[in-house]
Amino acid sequence: LQALAMAAALVSWKTARVTREDVQLLEPGAWLNDAVMGFWWEYLSSAAPPEGFADKSEALFIDPGAAALILVEEDPEDLQDLFDPELSTKSLVLVPVNDRCDRAASGGSHWSLLVLRRRGAEREVQACYYDSMGTG
């Protein structure tokens, strides 16, 4: 069964993989699923930056699974243990946000992006929310 699942992988990068069905979701009008988001996030966070772009060492990519954990984790100390000290040292934090309403369920139907930037000597945090549907 595992060999069958791996055979269905069209593209893989590190621990993420997408199938032919996942790739079809990149067509206009289709909705991205967790596999496509996870693959893209893994690639962005671990591949070398394109020529002309700065080093990614100042950026933290919170993967979709960890972002889902933020939603359901009720203990602030556990969240702090999960993300510190890395979170406090980065000047750019990218968090994928899913519109899942039920904390106990998986899924959701839409992804958006939360960007946190630290600026200036005071390292003041600026938050920007990007939503392709304009629902933010």
Side-chain angles (χ1 to χ4, degrees), residues 97-130:
V97 179
N98 188 287
D99 70 348
R100 178 181 74 176
C101 294
D102 184 354
R103 294 174 65 170
S106 62
S109 62
H110 180 65
W111 288 95
S112 54
L113 179 65
L114 176 64
V115 177
L116 304 171
R117 295 185 71 189
R118 294 183 195 276
R119 294 185 157 196
E122 301 292 319
R123 308 265 301 152
E124 181 180 317
V125 176
Q126 174 189 19
C128 295
Y129 181 72
Y130 299 94

PDB file of all heavy atoms in Angstrom, residues 97-130:
ATOM      1  N   VAL A  97      -2.789  30.756   6.801  1.00  0.00           N
ATOM      2  CA  VAL A  97      -3.986  30.733   7.635  1.00  0.00           C
ATOM      3  C   VAL A  97      -5.092  30.018   6.865  1.00  0.00           C
ATOM      4  O   VAL A  97      -5.388  30.375   5.727  1.00  0.00           O
ATOM      5  CB  VAL A  97      -4.434  32.173   7.998  1.00  0.00           C
ATOM      6  CG1 VAL A  97      -5.700  32.152   8.839  1.00  0.00           C
ATOM      7  CG2 VAL A  97      -3.310  32.921   8.702  1.00  0.00           C
ATOM      8  N   ASN A  98      -5.697  29.030   7.507  1.00  0.00           N
ATOM      9  CA  ASN A  98      -6.798  28.291   6.918  1.00  0.00           C
ATOM     10  C   ASN A  98      -8.097  28.755   7.567  1.00  0.00           C
ATOM     11  O   ASN A  98      -8.114  29.083   8.750  1.00  0.00           O
ATOM     12  CB  ASN A  98      -6.576  26.786   7.153  1.00  0.00           C
ATOM     13  CG  ASN A  98      -7.566  25.930   6.417  1.00  0.00           C
ATOM     14  OD1 ASN A  98      -8.726  25.862   6.779  1.00  0.00           O
ATOM     15  ND2 ASN A  98      -7.098  25.275   5.388  1.00  0.00           N
ATOM     16  N   ASP A  99      -9.187  28.752   6.814  1.00  0.00           N
ATOM     17  CA  ASP A  99     -10.462  29.240   7.346  1.00  0.00           C
ATOM     18  C   ASP A  99     -11.251  28.185   8.114  1.00  0.00           C
ATOM     19  O   ASP A  99     -12.437  28.353   8.365  1.00  0.00           O
ATOM     20  CB  ASP A  99     -11.321  29.827   6.227  1.00  0.00           C
ATOM     21  CG  ASP A  99     -11.853  28.782   5.273  1.00  0.00           C
ATOM     22  OD1 ASP A  99     -11.410  27.617   5.309  1.00  0.00           O
ATOM     23  OD2 ASP A  99     -12.723  29.133   4.458  1.00  0.00           O
ATOM     24  N   ARG A 100     -10.598  27.135   8.528  1.00  0.00           N
ATOM     25  CA  ARG A 100     -11.262  26.084   9.290  1.00  0.00           C
ATOM     26  C   ARG A 100     -11.894  26.686  10.534  1.00  0.00           C
ATOM     27  O   ARG A 100     -11.239  27.372  11.312  1.00  0.00           O
ATOM     28  CB  ARG A 100     -10.239  25.022   9.672  1.00  0.00           C
ATOM     29  CG  ARG A 100     -10.812  23.918  10.508  1.00  0.00           C
ATOM     30  CD  ARG A 100      -9.768  22.942  10.861  1.00  0.00           C
ATOM     31  NE  ARG A 100      -8.893  23.532  11.878  1.00  0.00           N
ATOM     32  CZ  ARG A 100      -7.915  22.895  12.463  1.00  0.00           C
ATOM     33  NH1 ARG A 100      -7.625  21.679  12.106  1.00  0.00           N
ATOM     34  NH2 ARG A 100      -7.183  23.482  13.376  1.00  0.00           N
ATOM     35  N   CYS A 101     -13.172  26.452  10.727  1.00  0.00           N
ATOM     36  CA  CYS A 101     -13.891  27.014  11.874  1.00  0.00           C
ATOM     37  C   CYS A 101     -13.935  26.061  13.057  1.00  0.00           C
ATOM     38  O   CYS A 101     -13.879  26.489  14.198  1.00  0.00           O
ATOM     39  CB  CYS A 101     -15.314  27.384  11.476  1.00  0.00           C
ATOM     40  SG  CYS A 101     -15.386  28.718  10.269  1.00  0.00           S
ATOM     41  N   ASP A 102     -14.058  24.781  12.789  1.00  0.00           N
ATOM     42  CA  ASP A 102     -14.185  23.783  13.841  1.00  0.00           C
ATOM     43  C   ASP A 102     -12.804  23.361  14.305  1.00  0.00           C
ATOM     44  O   ASP A 102     -12.045  22.766  13.548  1.00  0.00           O
ATOM     45  CB  ASP A 102     -14.964  22.578  13.315  1.00  0.00           C
ATOM     46  CG  ASP A 102     -15.223  21.521  14.368  1.00  0.00           C
ATOM     47  OD1 ASP A 102     -14.704  21.663  15.504  1.00  0.00           O
ATOM     48  OD2 ASP A 102     -15.949  20.560  14.063  1.00  0.00           O
ATOM     49  N   ARG A 103     -12.458  23.675  15.544  1.00  0.00           N
ATOM     50  CA  ARG A 103     -11.127  23.363  16.060  1.00  0.00           C
ATOM     51  C   ARG A 103     -10.837  21.874  16.092  1.00  0.00           C
ATOM     52  O   ARG A 103      -9.696  21.458  16.052  1.00  0.00           O
ATOM     53  CB  ARG A 103     -10.956  23.953  17.454  1.00  0.00           C
ATOM     54  CG  ARG A 103     -10.961  25.458  17.449  1.00  0.00           C
ATOM     55  CD  ARG A 103     -10.933  25.998  18.823  1.00  0.00           C
ATOM     56  NE  ARG A 103      -9.677  25.643  19.475  1.00  0.00           N
ATOM     57  CZ  ARG A 103      -9.295  26.137  20.627  1.00  0.00           C
ATOM     58  NH1 ARG A 103     -10.058  26.987  21.254  1.00  0.00           N
ATOM     59  NH2 ARG A 103      -8.153  25.772  21.165  1.00  0.00           N
ATOM     60  N   ALA A 104     -11.877  21.050  16.167  1.00  0.00           N
ATOM     61  CA  ALA A 104     -11.693  19.608  16.272  1.00  0.00           C
ATOM     62  C   ALA A 104     -11.603  18.929  14.904  1.00  0.00           C
ATOM     63  O   ALA A 104     -11.194  17.780  14.815  1.00  0.00           O
ATOM     64  CB  ALA A 104     -12.837  19.002  17.075  1.00  0.00           C
ATOM     65  N   ALA A 105     -11.959  19.632  13.842  1.00  0.00           N
ATOM     66  CA  ALA A 105     -11.987  19.025  12.514  1.00  0.00           C
ATOM     67  C   ALA A 105     -10.759  19.426  11.707  1.00  0.00           C
ATOM     68  O   ALA A 105     -10.054  20.360  12.044  1.00  0.00           O
ATOM     69  CB  ALA A 105     -13.253  19.462  11.773  1.00  0.00           C
ATOM     70  N   SER A 106     -10.520  18.693  10.644  1.00  0.00           N
ATOM     71  CA  SER A 106      -9.446  19.080   9.723  1.00  0.00           C
ATOM     72  C   SER A 106     -10.086  19.749   8.518  1.00  0.00           C
ATOM     73  O   SER A 106     -11.296  19.793   8.385  1.00  0.00           O
ATOM     74  CB  SER A 106      -8.646  17.851   9.284  1.00  0.00           C
ATOM     75  OG  SER A 106      -9.498  16.970   8.586  1.00  0.00           O
ATOM     76  N   GLY A 107      -9.252  20.269   7.647  1.00  0.00           N
ATOM     77  CA  GLY A 107      -9.781  20.833   6.411  1.00  0.00           C
ATOM     78  C   GLY A 107      -9.902  22.328   6.435  1.00  0.00           C
ATOM     79  O   GLY A 107      -9.049  23.033   6.930  1.00  0.00           O
ATOM     80  N   GLY A 108     -10.990  22.816   5.904  1.00  0.00           N
ATOM     81  CA  GLY A 108     -11.170  24.224   5.633  1.00  0.00           C
ATOM     82  C   GLY A 108     -11.271  24.356   4.120  1.00  0.00           C
ATOM     83  O   GLY A 108     -11.044  23.396   3.387  1.00  0.00           O
ATOM     84  N   SER A 109     -11.612  25.518   3.643  1.00  0.00           N
ATOM     85  CA  SER A 109     -11.784  25.650   2.198  1.00  0.00           C
ATOM     86  C   SER A 109     -10.988  26.784   1.581  1.00  0.00           C
ATOM     87  O   SER A 109     -11.050  26.982   0.380  1.00  0.00           O
ATOM     88  CB  SER A 109     -13.277  25.843   1.878  1.00  0.00           C
ATOM     89  OG  SER A 109     -13.749  27.034   2.486  1.00  0.00           O
ATOM     90  N   HIS A 110     -10.250  27.531   2.405  1.00  0.00           N
ATOM     91  CA  HIS A 110      -9.557  28.694   1.846  1.00  0.00           C
ATOM     92  C   HIS A 110      -8.299  28.992   2.658  1.00  0.00           C
ATOM     93  O   HIS A 110      -8.298  28.898   3.879  1.00  0.00           O
ATOM     94  CB  HIS A 110     -10.490  29.904   1.866  1.00  0.00           C
ATOM     95  CG  HIS A 110      -9.863  31.144   1.311  1.00  0.00           C
ATOM     96  ND1 HIS A 110      -9.492  31.268  -0.004  1.00  0.00           N
ATOM     97  CD2 HIS A 110      -9.530  32.296   1.912  1.00  0.00           C
ATOM     98  CE1 HIS A 110      -8.953  32.465  -0.184  1.00  0.00           C
ATOM     99  NE2 HIS A 110      -8.970  33.103   0.955  1.00  0.00           N
ATOM    100  N   TRP A 111      -7.234  29.380   1.953  1.00  0.00           N
ATOM    101  CA  TRP A 111      -5.975  29.759   2.579  1.00  0.00           C
ATOM    102  C   TRP A 111      -5.722  31.240   2.362  1.00  0.00           C
ATOM    103  O   TRP A 111      -6.054  31.797   1.317  1.00  0.00           O
ATOM    104  CB  TRP A 111      -4.815  28.981   1.966  1.00  0.00           C
ATOM    105  CG  TRP A 111      -4.784  27.548   2.349  1.00  0.00           C
ATOM    106  CD1 TRP A 111      -5.311  26.508   1.633  1.00  0.00           C
ATOM    107  CD2 TRP A 111      -4.218  26.989   3.517  1.00  0.00           C
ATOM    108  NE1 TRP A 111      -5.098  25.333   2.304  1.00  0.00           N
ATOM    109  CE2 TRP A 111      -4.417  25.601   3.471  1.00  0.00           C
ATOM    110  CE3 TRP A 111      -3.550  27.522   4.616  1.00  0.00           C
ATOM    111  CZ2 TRP A 111      -3.976  24.742   4.468  1.00  0.00           C
ATOM    112  CZ3 TRP A 111      -3.116  26.663   5.607  1.00  0.00           C
ATOM    113  CH2 TRP A 111      -3.330  25.293   5.525  1.00  0.00           C
ATOM    114  N   SER A 112      -5.137  31.871   3.350  1.00  0.00           N
ATOM    115  CA  SER A 112      -4.674  33.246   3.237  1.00  0.00           C
ATOM    116  C   SER A 112      -3.301  33.302   3.922  1.00  0.00           C
ATOM    117  O   SER A 112      -2.792  32.275   4.360  1.00  0.00           O
ATOM    118  CB  SER A 112      -5.680  34.216   3.866  1.00  0.00           C
ATOM    119  OG  SER A 112      -5.958  33.835   5.191  1.00  0.00           O
ATOM    120  N   LEU A 113      -2.719  34.483   3.979  1.00  0.00           N
ATOM    121  CA  LEU A 113      -1.360  34.604   4.501  1.00  0.00           C
ATOM    122  C   LEU A 113      -1.266  35.742   5.507  1.00  0.00           C
ATOM    123  O   LEU A 113      -1.705  36.859   5.238  1.00  0.00           O
ATOM    124  CB  LEU A 113      -0.387  34.875   3.343  1.00  0.00           C
ATOM    125  CG  LEU A 113       1.082  35.056   3.699  1.00  0.00           C
ATOM    126  CD1 LEU A 113       1.674  33.773   4.264  1.00  0.00           C
ATOM    127  CD2 LEU A 113       1.868  35.505   2.473  1.00  0.00           C
ATOM    128  N   LEU A 114      -0.683  35.447   6.663  1.00  0.00           N
ATOM    129  CA  LEU A 114      -0.377  36.449   7.673  1.00  0.00           C
ATOM    130  C   LEU A 114       1.126  36.686   7.642  1.00  0.00           C
ATOM    131  O   LEU A 114       1.904  35.742   7.721  1.00  0.00           O
ATOM    132  CB  LEU A 114      -0.807  35.964   9.063  1.00  0.00           C
ATOM    133  CG  LEU A 114      -0.453  36.874  10.241  1.00  0.00           C
ATOM    134  CD1 LEU A 114      -1.174  38.216  10.125  1.00  0.00           C
ATOM    135  CD2 LEU A 114      -0.781  36.184  11.560  1.00  0.00           C
ATOM    136  N   VAL A 115       1.529  37.948   7.494  1.00  0.00           N
ATOM    137  CA  VAL A 115       2.948  38.312   7.447  1.00  0.00           C
ATOM    138  C   VAL A 115       3.235  39.224   8.626  1.00  0.00           C
ATOM    139  O   VAL A 115       2.580  40.249   8.805  1.00  0.00           O
ATOM    140  CB  VAL A 115       3.298  39.035   6.123  1.00  0.00           C
ATOM    141  CG1 VAL A 115       4.752  39.469   6.117  1.00  0.00           C
ATOM    142  CG2 VAL A 115       2.976  38.153   4.925  1.00  0.00           C
ATOM    143  N   LEU A 116       4.211  38.827   9.431  1.00  0.00           N
ATOM    144  CA  LEU A 116       4.658  39.644  10.563  1.00  0.00           C
ATOM    145  C   LEU A 116       6.059  40.149  10.254  1.00  0.00           C
ATOM    146  O   LEU A 116       6.939  39.361   9.907  1.00  0.00           O
ATOM    147  CB  LEU A 116       4.674  38.811  11.848  1.00  0.00           C
ATOM    148  CG  LEU A 116       3.360  38.139  12.226  1.00  0.00           C
ATOM    149  CD1 LEU A 116       3.567  37.189  13.380  1.00  0.00           C
ATOM    150  CD2 LEU A 116       2.316  39.177  12.560  1.00  0.00           C
ATOM    151  N   ARG A 117       6.259  41.454  10.383  1.00  0.00           N
ATOM    152  CA  ARG A 117       7.572  42.056  10.128  1.00  0.00           C
ATOM    153  C   ARG A 117       8.008  42.852  11.334  1.00  0.00           C
ATOM    154  O   ARG A 117       7.228  43.596  11.913  1.00  0.00           O
ATOM    155  CB  ARG A 117       7.507  42.980   8.914  1.00  0.00           C
ATOM    156  CG  ARG A 117       7.198  42.242   7.630  1.00  0.00           C
ATOM    157  CD  ARG A 117       7.252  43.149   6.461  1.00  0.00           C
ATOM    158  NE  ARG A 117       8.646  43.494   6.220  1.00  0.00           N
ATOM    159  CZ  ARG A 117       9.047  44.407   5.373  1.00  0.00           C
ATOM    160  NH1 ARG A 117       8.166  45.087   4.676  1.00  0.00           N
ATOM    161  NH2 ARG A 117      10.319  44.661   5.200  1.00  0.00           N
ATOM    162  N   ARG A 118       9.266  42.701  11.692  1.00  0.00           N
ATOM    163  CA  ARG A 118       9.865  43.512  12.761  1.00  0.00           C
ATOM    164  C   ARG A 118      10.689  44.589  12.072  1.00  0.00           C
ATOM    165  O   ARG A 118      11.514  44.289  11.225  1.00  0.00           O
ATOM    166  CB  ARG A 118      10.762  42.665  13.648  1.00  0.00           C
ATOM    167  CG  ARG A 118      10.032  41.636  14.426  1.00  0.00           C
ATOM    168  CD  ARG A 118      11.006  40.890  15.333  1.00  0.00           C
ATOM    169  NE  ARG A 118      10.422  39.688  15.842  1.00  0.00           N
ATOM    170  CZ  ARG A 118       9.642  39.619  16.908  1.00  0.00           C
ATOM    171  NH1 ARG A 118       9.355  40.710  17.568  1.00  0.00           N
ATOM    172  NH2 ARG A 118       9.149  38.473  17.307  1.00  0.00           N
ATOM    173  N   ARG A 119      10.465  45.841  12.485  1.00  0.00           N
ATOM    174  CA  ARG A 119      11.148  46.957  11.831  1.00  0.00           C
ATOM    175  C   ARG A 119      11.776  47.893  12.847  1.00  0.00           C
ATOM    176  O   ARG A 119      11.283  48.048  13.952  1.00  0.00           O
ATOM    177  CB  ARG A 119      10.156  47.746  10.977  1.00  0.00           C
ATOM    178  CG  ARG A 119       9.625  46.963   9.830  1.00  0.00           C
ATOM    179  CD  ARG A 119       8.766  47.825   8.980  1.00  0.00           C
ATOM    180  NE  ARG A 119       8.719  47.247   7.652  1.00  0.00           N
ATOM    181  CZ  ARG A 119       8.320  47.878   6.601  1.00  0.00           C
ATOM    182  NH1 ARG A 119       7.934  49.121   6.687  1.00  0.00           N
ATOM    183  NH2 ARG A 119       8.288  47.282   5.436  1.00  0.00           N
ATOM    184  N   GLY A 120      12.833  48.531  12.402  1.00  0.00           N
ATOM    185  CA  GLY A 120      13.476  49.581  13.182  1.00  0.00           C
ATOM    186  C   GLY A 120      14.238  49.056  14.383  1.00  0.00           C
ATOM    187  O   GLY A 120      14.269  47.868  14.671  1.00  0.00           O
ATOM    188  N   ALA A 121      14.853  49.994  15.075  1.00  0.00           N
ATOM    189  CA  ALA A 121      15.675  49.672  16.242  1.00  0.00           C
ATOM    190  C   ALA A 121      14.835  49.071  17.365  1.00  0.00           C
ATOM    191  O   ALA A 121      15.303  48.236  18.127  1.00  0.00           O
ATOM    192  CB  ALA A 121      16.391  50.926  16.740  1.00  0.00           C
ATOM    193  N   GLU A 122      13.577  49.472  17.463  1.00  0.00           N
ATOM    194  CA  GLU A 122      12.676  48.968  18.497  1.00  0.00           C
ATOM    195  C   GLU A 122      12.127  47.586  18.151  1.00  0.00           C
ATOM    196  O   GLU A 122      11.484  46.951  18.988  1.00  0.00           O
ATOM    197  CB  GLU A 122      11.502  49.939  18.696  1.00  0.00           C
ATOM    198  CG  GLU A 122      11.911  51.328  19.098  1.00  0.00           C
ATOM    199  CD  GLU A 122      12.488  51.357  20.498  1.00  0.00           C
ATOM    200  OE1 GLU A 122      11.955  50.671  21.384  1.00  0.00           O
ATOM    201  OE2 GLU A 122      13.490  52.065  20.703  1.00  0.00           O
ATOM    202  N   ARG A 123      12.357  47.150  16.905  1.00  0.00           N
ATOM    203  CA  ARG A 123      11.858  45.856  16.412  1.00  0.00           C
ATOM    204  C   ARG A 123      10.333  45.773  16.554  1.00  0.00           C
ATOM    205  O   ARG A 123       9.765  44.751  16.918  1.00  0.00           O
ATOM    206  CB  ARG A 123      12.526  44.683  17.101  1.00  0.00           C
ATOM    207  CG  ARG A 123      14.022  44.692  17.100  1.00  0.00           C
ATOM    208  CD  ARG A 123      14.720  43.952  16.041  1.00  0.00           C
ATOM    209  NE  ARG A 123      14.419  42.542  15.984  1.00  0.00           N
ATOM    210  CZ  ARG A 123      14.486  41.840  14.860  1.00  0.00           C
ATOM    211  NH1 ARG A 123      14.861  42.424  13.760  1.00  0.00           N
ATOM    212  NH2 ARG A 123      14.205  40.579  14.836  1.00  0.00           N
ATOM    213  N   GLU A 124       9.673  46.908  16.261  1.00  0.00           N
ATOM    214  CA  GLU A 124       8.222  46.980  16.313  1.00  0.00           C
ATOM    215  C   GLU A 124       7.626  46.000  15.308  1.00  0.00           C
ATOM    216  O   GLU A 124       8.097  45.891  14.177  1.00  0.00           O
ATOM    217  CB  GLU A 124       7.775  48.405  15.982  1.00  0.00           C
ATOM    218  CG  GLU A 124       6.296  48.612  16.015  1.00  0.00           C
ATOM    219  CD  GLU A 124       5.920  50.042  15.675  1.00  0.00           C
ATOM    220  OE1 GLU A 124       6.605  50.956  16.185  1.00  0.00           O
ATOM    221  OE2 GLU A 124       4.980  50.227  14.906  1.00  0.00           O
ATOM    222  N   VAL A 125       6.577  45.292  15.714  1.00  0.00           N
ATOM    223  CA  VAL A 125       5.959  44.284  14.859  1.00  0.00           C
ATOM    224  C   VAL A 125       4.829  44.903  14.045  1.00  0.00           C
ATOM    225  O   VAL A 125       3.946  45.574  14.585  1.00  0.00           O
ATOM    226  CB  VAL A 125       5.417  43.098  15.695  1.00  0.00           C
ATOM    227  CG1 VAL A 125       4.698  42.099  14.793  1.00  0.00           C
ATOM    228  CG2 VAL A 125       6.535  42.427  16.456  1.00  0.00           C
ATOM    229  N   GLN A 126       4.887  44.688  12.740  1.00  0.00           N
ATOM    230  CA  GLN A 126       3.838  45.119  11.821  1.00  0.00           C
ATOM    231  C   GLN A 126       3.218  43.845  11.256  1.00  0.00           C
ATOM    232  O   GLN A 126       3.928  42.937  10.820  1.00  0.00           O
ATOM    233  CB  GLN A 126       4.422  45.957  10.696  1.00  0.00           C
ATOM    234  CG  GLN A 126       3.411  46.315   9.639  1.00  0.00           C
ATOM    235  CD  GLN A 126       4.078  46.969   8.428  1.00  0.00           C
ATOM    236  OE1 GLN A 126       5.281  46.850   8.214  1.00  0.00           O
ATOM    237  NE2 GLN A 126       3.282  47.638   7.630  1.00  0.00           N
ATOM    238  N   ALA A 127       1.894  43.762  11.261  1.00  0.00           N
ATOM    239  CA  ALA A 127       1.196  42.596  10.726  1.00  0.00           C
ATOM    240  C   ALA A 127       0.422  42.985   9.476  1.00  0.00           C
ATOM    241  O   ALA A 127      -0.238  44.023   9.440  1.00  0.00           O
ATOM    242  CB  ALA A 127       0.245  42.030  11.774  1.00  0.00           C
ATOM    243  N   CYS A 128       0.531  42.162   8.443  1.00  0.00           N
ATOM    244  CA  CYS A 128      -0.244  42.352   7.213  1.00  0.00           C
ATOM    245  C   CYS A 128      -0.944  41.037   6.900  1.00  0.00           C
ATOM    246  O   CYS A 128      -0.356  39.961   7.067  1.00  0.00           O
ATOM    247  CB  CYS A 128       0.663  42.728   6.050  1.00  0.00           C
ATOM    248  SG  CYS A 128       1.483  44.307   6.250  1.00  0.00           S
ATOM    249  N   TYR A 129      -2.164  41.136   6.438  1.00  0.00           N
ATOM    250  CA  TYR A 129      -2.971  39.960   6.120  1.00  0.00           C
ATOM    251  C   TYR A 129      -3.320  40.004   4.641  1.00  0.00           C
ATOM    252  O   TYR A 129      -3.849  41.007   4.163  1.00  0.00           O
ATOM    253  CB  TYR A 129      -4.238  39.975   6.983  1.00  0.00           C
ATOM    254  CG  TYR A 129      -5.161  38.806   6.775  1.00  0.00           C
ATOM    255  CD1 TYR A 129      -4.816  37.541   7.232  1.00  0.00           C
ATOM    256  CD2 TYR A 129      -6.363  38.965   6.111  1.00  0.00           C
ATOM    257  CE1 TYR A 129      -5.668  36.462   7.054  1.00  0.00           C
ATOM    258  CE2 TYR A 129      -7.217  37.893   5.933  1.00  0.00           C
ATOM    259  CZ  TYR A 129      -6.876  36.645   6.401  1.00  0.00           C
ATOM    260  OH  TYR A 129      -7.701  35.579   6.217  1.00  0.00           O
ATOM    261  N   TYR A 130      -2.991  38.943   3.928  1.00  0.00           N
ATOM    262  CA  TYR A 130      -3.234  38.877   2.492  1.00  0.00           C
ATOM    263  C   TYR A 130      -4.245  37.777   2.195  1.00  0.00           C
ATOM    264  O   TYR A 130      -4.072  36.633   2.622  1.00  0.00           O
ATOM    265  CB  TYR A 130      -1.940  38.593   1.737  1.00  0.00           C
ATOM    266  CG  TYR A 130      -0.899  39.661   1.938  1.00  0.00           C
ATOM    267  CD1 TYR A 130       0.064  39.548   2.930  1.00  0.00           C
ATOM    268  CD2 TYR A 130      -0.914  40.816   1.148  1.00  0.00           C
ATOM    269  CE1 TYR A 130       1.008  40.546   3.114  1.00  0.00           C
ATOM    270  CE2 TYR A 130       0.018  41.817   1.341  1.00  0.00           C
ATOM    271  CZ  TYR A 130       0.974  41.665   2.327  1.00  0.00           C
ATOM    272  OH  TYR A 130       1.909  42.665   2.516  1.00  0.00           O
TER     273      TYR A 130
END
